[in-house]
């Protein structure tokens, strides 16, 4: 029997026991999902800065853009999630602010990020295409690393299957709505 913190890939002979969802530092619980998302964001901007500099741009522009992009992307990701889950939030609007309870959607974050980029390059009088090109290299890097957060959070792994790559979770680790 699997424990609540187990993840298994039975057809590959991989059984991971005690895979944590979070850890505690000085009494503050930190979700591994959040750590992976933050690492993905940092590595995405690092990649974008390298690409932009290699193309002749000043990588400081990427680093100036990063905090603005993160702020508006989080707002966009939350706005998109809330809009798609409005039936829940309409009866409890204050819960829109409870980010630690989850609820960000990458689509909203990407849309907000590109809108932010559009206004940023106009304000800084930068060339749009080289800047967008550099950022488009960092986006998949961030997404790849961030997806590992989904692994630790035991979500977004696809449908249940019995194929070679089948992933198994104990039922008590899966939230309602994850199984379709």
């Amino acid at each position: 029997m699997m424990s609540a913190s187990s993840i298994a890939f039975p057809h590959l002979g991989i059984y991971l026991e005690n895979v944590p969802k979070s850890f505690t530092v000085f009494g503050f619980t930190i979700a591994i999902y959040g750590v992976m998302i933050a690492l993905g964001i940092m590595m995405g901007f690092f990649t974008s800065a390298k690409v932009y500099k290699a193309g002749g741009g000043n990588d400081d522009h990427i680093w100036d853009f990063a905090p603005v992009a993160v702020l508006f992307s989080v707002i966009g990701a939350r706005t998109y999630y809330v809009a798609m889950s409005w039936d829940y939030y309409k009866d409890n609007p204050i819960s829109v602010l409870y980010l630690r309870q989850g609820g960000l959607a990458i689509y909203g974050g990407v849309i907000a990020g590109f809108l932010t980029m559009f206004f940023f390059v106009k304000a800084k009088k930068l060339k749009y295409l080289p800047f967008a090109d550099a950022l488009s290299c960092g986006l998949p890097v961030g997404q790849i690393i961030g997806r590992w957060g989904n692994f630790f959070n035991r979500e977004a792994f696809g449908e249940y299957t019995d194929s070679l790559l089948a992933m198994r979770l104990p039922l008590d680790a899966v939230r309602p709505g994850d199984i379709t």
Side-chain angles (χ1 to χ4, degrees):
M1 177 120 187
M2 295 177 70
S3 71
S5 61
S6 298
I7 299 174
F9 298 88
H11 302 305
L12 298 174
I14 300 171
Y15 298 90
L16 306 171
E17 296 291 330
N18 302 316
V19 178
K21 284 188 175 185
S22 62
F23 57 93
T24 304
V25 176
F26 302 115
F28 187 71
T29 301
I30 300 171
I32 294 175
Y33 177 83
V35 171
M36 297 307 296
I37 295 296
L39 182 62
I41 290 168
M42 288 188 305
M43 291 306 296
F45 280 118
F46 178 78
T47 301
S48 296
K50 289 288 188 190
V51 169
Y52 195 59
K53 187 174 185 176
N58 181 347
D59 61 344
D60 286 342
H61 293 305
I62 297 290
W63 295 115
D64 291 343
F65 173 69
V68 176
V70 169
L71 173 66
F72 284 106
S73 293
V74 169
I75 292 169
R78 183 60 171 180
T79 301
Y80 189 95
Y81 183 86
V82 168
M84 295 296 117
S85 306
W86 185 244
D87 285 343
Y88 171 78
Y89 290 101
K90 70 180 180 184
D91 296 328
N92 192 8
I94 191 69
S95 65
V96 168
L97 303 175
Y98 302 157
L99 287 178
R100 288 190 48 83
Q101 292 179 359
L104 299 174
I106 187 66
Y107 309 112
V110 171
I111 291 166
F114 275 102
L115 286 172
T116 304
M117 178 187 59
F118 176 78
F119 291 109
F120 183 85
V121 296
K122 278 187 129 355
K124 294 282 188 176
K125 296 180 174 65
L126 301 172
K127 292 182 180 177
Y128 179 81
L129 289 178
F131 200 79
D133 188 46
L135 289 171
S136 69
C137 293
L139 182 61
V141 170
Q143 189 65 2
I144 290 165
I145 295 169
R147 281 292 167 199
W148 280 100
N150 294 120
F151 174 78
F152 285 100
N153 219 29
R154 295 153 180 83
E155 64 184 10
F157 57 87
E159 294 187 22
Y160 284 94
T161 178
D162 199 30
S163 72
L164 175 66
L165 301 176
M167 181 172 142
R168 298 284 186 262
L169 300 170
L171 282 178
D172 58 347
V174 180
R175 297 179 308 210
D178 285 347
I179 301 174
T180 56

